Amino acid sequence: MDGLEQLQKYIDESGKIVFFGGAGVSTESGIPDFRSVDGLYHQTYDYPPETIISHDFFMSNPEEFYRFYRQKMLFRDAKPNAAHKKLAELEQVGKLTAVVTQNIDGLHQMAGSRRVYELHGSVHRNYCQKCGKSYPVERIVNTEGIPRCDDCGGIIKPDVVLYGECLDSEVMEGAIKAISQADLLIIGGTSLAVYPAAGLIRYCPGKIILINREPTPMDGRADLVIKGNIGEVLGAVQAAQ
Ligand code: NAD
């Protein structure tokens, strides 16, 4: 694959790598992305996915929200792929300082990554909207209809940033700090279409590498663009020499 040697060279020369990724990082784990031809946005529902996974829709129609959410956004059997594993290894050998992800699937942590900024939250955290009691994802998976709090009967909401909601400011600040100190930013598996997340890459003072199946609006800004599957590409990298 073109660019692999150059990628390895950049990684060998860097000591503060940050990875910034999106849904494409998990497609090789069997979780569909949003915008590829076979992605979530191209499947048919009564409402478009952007409508269903919005704050207003959750508040006005939680039952329909949860029907879609359980069917299309929870992938309990998904396992980390070679990309998640290599990023965890790069952190372990002291070369990677943080993963910044738009994903909500928790696969980076499952692979062993420790510093993970989840810009859009996680399906693994769920809270009662009324009293704040927290619930694991199993609570959502193992119930039907609208999941309610054992203590107060409030509606449980996933800690996932829905359309119309703000990103967590602490997570955002942590991600900006990590990126602004990076000597190499590896971006992968993201269409770079969702803001403000996509805007974060402008904070990088170092080199930028883009690994994606399709072109992105930032290809011109990158020092190296590799077209391919991120699991295959990162899987071929040597973390330590
Ligand atoms: P996106 O769907 O807009 O774009 C995915 C990009 O990844 C596309 O450009 C596609 O060509 C590329 N891609 C797909 N598989 C790839 C692979 N194996 N290797 C390399 N490139 C690959 O995703 P986005 O930019 O992350 O934005 C969508 C939003 O959807 C995010 O906010 C995210 O929170 C959410 N989302 C999350 C998950 C998840 O948690 N796994 C899944 C779907 C959507």
Side-chain angles (χ1 to χ4, degrees):
M1 199 178 300
D2 283 352
L4 276 185
E5 237 173 76
Q6 188 62 34
L7 169 67
Q8 184 70 55
K9 189 165 175 284
Y10 279 137
I11 288 177
D12 291 344
E13 290 168 358
S14 305
K16 281 186 179 175
I17 303 170
V18 171
F19 178 78
F20 175 79
V25 176
S26 295
T27 54
E28 288 161 83
S29 295
I31 303 179
D33 63 14
F34 273 10
R35 288 178 187 79
S36 297
V37 179
D38 56 348
L40 205 49
Y41 279 3
H42 298 265
Q43 301 170 355
T44 339
Y45 280 90
D46 287 352
Y47 305 89
E50 306 95 309
T51 303
I52 303 177
I53 50 179
S54 69
H55 179 79
D56 287 351
F57 195 89
F58 178 83
M59 298 308 279
S60 60
N61 200 344
E63 183 141 19
E64 183 66 3
F65 170 90
Y66 269 114
R67 203 169 68 83
F68 178 90
Y69 183 80
R70 285 193 183 94
Q71 271 178 12
K72 294 291 160 196
M73 296 183 73
L74 295 179
F75 296 87
R76 298 294 294 134
D77 298 330
K79 298 274 179 301
N81 63 50
H84 300 103
K85 289 179 191 164
K86 188 61 55 142
L87 292 166
E89 200 184 330
L90 283 165
E91 184 184 32
Q92 225 158 45
V93 300
K95 288 187 83 68
L96 182 137
T97 56
V99 167
V100 178
T101 182
Q102 299 166 85
N103 292 348
I104 55 175
D105 54 34
L107 290 182
H108 285 293
Q109 289 91 333
M110 207 187 284
S113 283
R114 280 195 250 150
R115 181 161 302 161
V116 182
Y117 295 103
E118 294 175 308
L119 298 174
H120 296 158
S122 172
V123 299
H124 294 281
R125 298 184 296 267
N126 301 274
Y127 298 102
C128 168
Q129 286 189 295
K130 227 170 162 185
C131 73
K133 183 171 178 177
S134 68
Y135 290 90
V137 65
E138 286 72 25
R139 178 55 180 246
I140 311 294
V141 175
N142 299 329
T143 51
E144 282 177 16
I146 304 169
R148 289 194 178 268
C149 180
D150 293 333
D151 291 355
C152 74
I155 295 178
I156 300 170
K157 182 181 177 294
D159 187 13
V160 163
V161 180
L162 303 177
Y163 286 98
E165 292 179 344
C166 295
L167 273 62
D168 183 283
S169 58
E170 265 180 47
V171 174
M172 199 64 176
E173 278 163 29
I176 290 173
K177 193 169 174 205
I179 291 173
S180 60
Q181 292 171 351
D183 56 7
L184 177 64
L185 180 64
I186 305 177
I187 303 171
T190 171
S191 59
L192 292 171
V194 178
Y195 280 81
L200 282 180
I201 69 175
R202 72 174 184 273
Y203 291 100
C204 177
K207 297 245 182 301
I208 293 184
I209 297 176
L210 255 164
I211 307 167
N212 216 54
R213 275 184 191 162
E214 298 162 358
T216 78
M218 303 292 173
D219 283 12
R221 164 77 182 80
D223 296 280
L224 173 66
V225 178
I226 300 181
K227 187 175 185 298
N229 289 322
I230 191 148
E232 281 172 42
V233 175
L234 288 183
V237 161
Q238 301 279 95
Q241 296 132 318

